[in-house]
Amino acid sequence: MSQRKDLVTVRVIALLAAAGAVLLACGYANGLAAAFVFDDDPSIIANSSIRRLWPLTEVLFARAEGGRPHDGRPLLNLSLALNYVAHGLWRPGYRLVNLAIHLANALLLFDVIRRLLRVAGERLVASPAAVAAAASLLWLAHPLHTHVITYTIQRAESLAALWILAAFDLAVLALAKGSLPAAVAAGLAAAVGGLAKETTVSILPLVLAADWAFRGRWQQGPTMRRLRLVLYGGLAVNLLVLVGVSYGLGGRGGSAGLATASVYHYLLTQARGIWIYLGRLVWPMKLVLDHGDGLVTSFAAVWLPAVAAAAAVMLGLIGFFTAAHRWFPVAAFVLLLAPSSSLVPVATQTLAEHRMYLPSACLIGWAVVGVAAVARPRSRPLLVVIVAVLVAAATGRTVLRNRDYASAVSLWRQNLRDCPDNDRARTNLVAALIRNDDFAAAKPLAAEALRSRPDRDRNWINQGRVLAAEGYTDQAIAAFGHAALLAPASVEPLINRGIVLSRVGRFEAAAADLTAAVSRRPDLARGWLALGLLHLRAGRPDLAVPVLKRGLTLEPENEAGVTNLRLALRQQTEGHEAL
């Protein structure tokens, strides 16, 4: 009988994998070649640590620089390096890996739900596998997940979810079957997860909550005490890995932590954010990539969502302590969302919809199991139709959402339209328009962004680039100087000012800026390429060639750099021939 059940389960998993692959192909075909946007730039395009796999230490232990998404996350950086070595900056390759991770997560989610339903008792639902498959497909197809698939660098979120689900699934297997190998494997998965992202800190409390919620339903016997010691000892290694990585690699580079923002203001912001997240889950017609870095500073501004959030937490606690196994998904939702949405501020992104990636699975699973538990047998065909319609609708919305990612300009226009209070979206839209040489469209937006946030250095940089394009060199140089005062640690103002200075023949001043930039950030190709261009403009191809080569080593696919190197080599050859 057991072998027959296992065979049926394997068949269900195979069918689920095939159906999931078809759904993802339909939903994401138009998003595979979408533009790299936002943090894709520093973590993929300008990330020199992923250009080669050897020495491996340079990939795994890349030093943190300002809280980029790959900083302090060795496993994420390794996955990016594997992509780059395989196919360079070919965008579909990165999205295909993201899709594979997402599909693997859906299959793990299926196994987790199926196992927990069996532990809870056969009377809860008639077919645990069917219910688990329905929940997994609904979660897999949800358009909210474009935030971690089409937005490439948020692979960080799905990669962390992969190890959370793997560790939790193995822990459930260990407790349900009394399997010591599964307990050891759960610890190993948790340890590896610590190399992916800080949110894997939720693994240990998640397993503890499940152990308590389903107490009396696990495997019993004298060996279980030793098994739990092995299990929880292994899961605790995750915490040691996270601490070691944080201290060893510089952590999040000042982008997150108790000292980066007011904890009270961050909590107020999350009180509003949690309802935004739940709204996106229920009705995902308006999805926003970036909500900015603003904080709510007054309780009066969010008193209603704050009170409602507190009431929801109290209701969840009461439910968990009165019927723990039925309310466990709610507890899991809180535990999974808490690392990024509670007491530890993420100063550079105070709200982010991608944080709902794995927590959303808890609520979707809870809803599906609840409906299945109360549904009458005669209504099951209707439920299958409803699930199919919802999955199809979610897939269609995903296709529409991926159209926003066609270019950086289209994405930031949509972001600004649907989140007009986010001044950073306007800043990013201006930068995208400038990259497209659309200075006419950029000019009024740049001025508006500067009026709105004169304290943001990137607004001054954008303004400087617009002024330089119009020929107002001195005003552009002054704007870059203002940006340098606002962000003294940033090299972007120096690089932009150096480029403009070299363009008008002020080579000595340009060299001072660009030399300072490459000395501060020798890993940034943009500085080296700008310095090489300066030497080229100054009539020194002999100096330009090695500098341009250095820049192209860091960013081999930079077309302007390749063109300038060819020109420098030709001028150098012509000079030798003349001699």
Side-chain angles (χ1 to χ4, degrees):
M1 186 69 176
S2 176
Q3 289 181 345
R4 185 179 178 183
K5 275 189 175 182
D6 290 341
L7 183 61
V8 170
T9 301
V10 169
R11 288 176 178 172
V12 171
I13 291 174
L15 288 172
L16 181 62
V22 170
L23 286 172
L24 293 177
C26 294
Y28 288 91
N30 68 326
L32 291 178
F36 283 140
V37 295
F38 205 19
D39 286 332
D40 290 341
D41 188 353
S43 286
I44 299 175
I45 298 173
N47 183 0
S48 59
S49 68
I50 66 171
R51 301 298 179 235
R52 61 194 64 82
L53 287 174
W54 195 260
L56 193 59
T57 52
E58 293 184 6
V59 179
L60 296 176
F61 307 125
R63 189 69 187 172
E65 292 284 354
R68 299 166 298 181
H70 68 278
D71 284 339
R73 295 165 181 171
L75 198 60
L76 172 63
N77 210 43
L78 176 61
S79 74
L80 296 173
L82 289 169
N83 266 124
Y84 187 86
V85 169
H87 52 69
L89 294 178
W90 186 59
R91 295 189 296 272
Y94 293 87
R95 272 61 179 259
L96 287 171
V97 172
N98 288 2
L99 287 168
I101 294 171
H102 184 53
L103 180 58
N105 286 338
L107 296 177
L108 283 169
L109 178 64
F110 162 80
D111 205 47
V112 165
I113 295 173
R114 179 183 64 88
R115 288 187 190 280
L116 288 180
L117 286 174
R118 287 182 175 178
V119 169
E122 293 289 347
R123 289 179 297 176
L124 185 62
V125 295
S127 175
V131 171
S136 299
L137 285 175
L138 284 169
W139 179 76
L140 174 135
H142 202 288
L144 188 65
H145 305 325
T146 52
H147 289 314
V148 300
I149 295 172
T150 317
Y151 179 31
T152 313
I153 196 55
Q154 278 311 326
R155 177 185 299 180
E157 198 72 39
S158 60
L159 197 59
L162 178 72
W163 295 102
I164 293 172
L165 286 167
F168 184 74
D169 195 24
L170 288 164
V172 170
L173 175 61
L175 293 169
K177 302 291 186 181
S179 170
L180 189 60
V184 173
L188 290 173
V192 175
L195 301 173
K197 194 178 180 183
E198 303 76 16
T199 50
T200 57
V201 70
S202 60
I203 293 174
L204 180 57
L206 194 63
V207 175
L208 282 167
D211 197 357
W212 189 85
F214 296 93
R215 63 195 182 282
R217 292 177 168 86
W218 301 118
Q219 183 73 249
Q220 304 297 318
T223 60
M224 290 302 292
R225 182 176 180 181
R226 185 182 66 173
L227 183 141
R228 281 184 168 85
L229 286 173
V230 172
L231 175 62
Y232 289 116
L235 297 180
V237 174
N238 168 264
L239 306 179
L240 298 177
V241 171
L242 288 172
V243 171
V245 167
S246 178
Y247 278 98
L249 302 182
R252 299 297 305 131
S255 65
L258 295 175
T260 59
S262 164
V263 173
Y264 174 62
H265 293 161
Y266 192 73
L267 276 173
L268 292 180
T269 306
Q270 302 318 300
R272 180 171 66 92
I274 186 66
W275 298 110
I276 293 174
Y277 300 160
L278 292 174
R280 300 294 193 258
L281 179 63
V282 175
W283 188 248
M285 297 308 293
K286 184 187 289 186
L287 297 172
V288 173
L289 174 68
D290 178 43
H291 287 264
D293 54 5
L295 287 167
V296 176
T297 57
S298 168
F299 178 76
V302 291
W303 72 268
L304 184 58
V307 170
V313 170
M314 288 300 298
L315 178 63
L317 286 172
I318 293 170
F320 186 66
F321 285 106
T322 54
H325 69 286
R326 294 180 184 274
W327 284 78
F328 170 72
V330 177
F333 169 80
V334 173
L335 291 171
L336 289 168
L337 193 58
S340 60
S341 303
S342 57
L343 295 174
V344 181
V346 182
T348 54
Q349 201 167 30
T350 50
L351 293 179
E353 293 173 17
H354 68 254
R355 294 172 189 164
M356 273 291 282
Y357 178 69
L358 190 53
S360 65
C362 303
L363 299 185
I364 290 173
W366 191 44
V368 171
V369 171
V371 170
V374 299
R376 295 180 178 180
R378 288 179 299 178
S379 65
R380 287 173 192 163
L382 176 61
L383 293 179
V384 170
V385 172
I386 291 173
V387 169
V389 170
L390 289 174
V391 167
T395 303
R397 177 65 184 103
T398 297
V399 172
L400 293 177
R401 174 56 175 164
N402 280 327
R403 291 179 182 175
D404 294 331
Y405 283 88
S407 71
V409 170
S410 64
L411 181 66
W412 290 118
R413 285 194 191 281
Q414 176 271 325
N415 201 120
L416 189 59
R417 183 190 70 232
D418 291 340
C419 190
D421 295 334
N422 177 9
D423 63 274
R424 187 164 67 187
R426 185 176 292 104
T427 300
N428 288 332
L429 174 57
V430 173
L433 289 167
I434 290 172
R435 281 194 296 273
N436 288 353
D437 293 330
D438 190 354
F439 292 99
K443 183 178 179 179
L445 289 171
E448 185 180 351
L450 196 56
R451 283 194 301 270
S452 172
R453 286 292 301 271
D455 60 327
R456 192 183 290 281
D457 62 293
R458 288 188 60 206
N459 287 337
W460 286 98
I461 291 174
N462 287 340
Q463 180 73 353
R465 295 185 69 179
V466 170
L467 289 167
E470 293 182 332
Y472 298 110
T473 302
D474 291 337
Q475 293 92 324
I477 291 170
F480 295 136
H482 202 93
L485 291 175
L486 290 172
S490 173
V491 298
E492 285 301 318
L494 300 179
I495 294 173
N496 280 279
R497 187 168 64 186
I499 291 171
V500 172
L501 287 167
S502 73
R503 192 180 296 160
V504 296
R506 295 164 64 177
F507 300 129
E508 188 174 343
D513 276 346
L514 296 174
T515 302
V518 297
S519 64
R520 286 189 205 172
R521 288 291 305 275
D523 63 315
L524 199 62
R526 182 166 157 76
W528 291 104
L529 296 175
L531 183 58
L533 179 58
L534 160 67
H535 291 316
L536 193 57
R537 284 172 171 164
R540 294 297 305 272
D542 55 318
L543 297 179
V545 169
V547 173
L548 289 169
K549 285 182 176 179
R550 175 77 178 269
L552 289 171
T553 300
L554 298 171
E555 195 176 320
E557 299 186 34
N558 187 295
E559 293 181 6
V562 171
T563 300
N564 289 334
L565 178 59
R566 288 173 180 167
L567 181 60
L569 288 169
R570 184 163 64 246
Q571 288 184 4
Q572 195 174 30
T573 302
E574 289 171 354
H576 288 315
E577 289 175 351
L579 287 173

